[in-house]
Amino acid sequence: QVQLVESGGGLVQPGGSLRLSCAASGSIFSIDAMGWYRQAPGKQRELVAVITSGGSTNSADSVKGRFTISRDNSKNTVYLQMNSLKPEDTAVYYCNLFGRGGNRFSLPQNYWGQGTQVTVSS
């Protein structure tokens, strides 16, 4: 089993910053990519940013220039630095891992964290 534990969410004023962390543990054979998704009330879950095992990144247009994703491969941990936060960034943020749990015969699949609330409000 693969477990993802997120931390760092909270309440912040517009223009403020937060840093989310997500640590992966358990029976992990390989990680292809880790990333962050978010879901606001009444909306579908959407990609925020993703980083591959090789370090390539991609992010939503709405967060480009404000959010930065990074990764510590030695700790199986991914970070999301969020600056210049806006009220529309308010959502539950979910950590995602795409990779193989168990052993090399396992099929790659998506694993999800429990989510952390980010609220941007004055």
Side-chain angles (χ1 to χ4, degrees):
Q1 274 288 40
V2 175
Q3 294 86 37
L4 301 176
V5 178
E6 300 128 331
S7 60
L11 173 65
V12 64
Q13 292 187 341
S17 297
L18 282 175
R19 188 191 194 212
L20 304 183
S21 300
C22 172
S25 63
S27 182
I28 301 170
F29 179 75
S30 64
I31 299 174
D32 295 326
M34 294 184 74
W36 293 92
Y37 289 70
R38 68 186 181 187
Q39 187 167 17
K43 295 188 177 181
Q44 290 190 335
R45 190 174 298 189
E46 63 176 1
L47 171 70
V48 178
V50 63
I51 183 166
T52 69
S53 58
S56 298
T57 63
N58 189 28
S59 59
D61 288 342
S62 59
V63 307
K64 277 185 168 65
R66 300 188 298 122
F67 292 9
T68 302
I69 190 169
S70 61
R71 181 173 165 179
D72 185 336
N73 289 336
S74 67
K75 297 180 180 179
N76 287 339
T77 299
V78 65
Y79 306 96
L80 185 68
Q81 179 65 45
M82 305 185 293
N83 299 328
S84 302
L85 282 159
K86 304 175 181 180
E88 51 263 42
D89 295 317
T90 296
V92 178
Y93 284 69
Y94 295 92
C95 178
N96 171 266
L97 181 155
F98 182 72
R100 299 172 189 265
N103 55 59
R104 61 190 176 96
F105 300 108
S106 303
L107 294 175
Q109 60 179 297
N110 283 302
Y111 299 91
W112 295 95
Q114 79 285 357
T116 185
Q117 177 70 45
V118 171
T119 302
V120 185
S121 175
S122 55

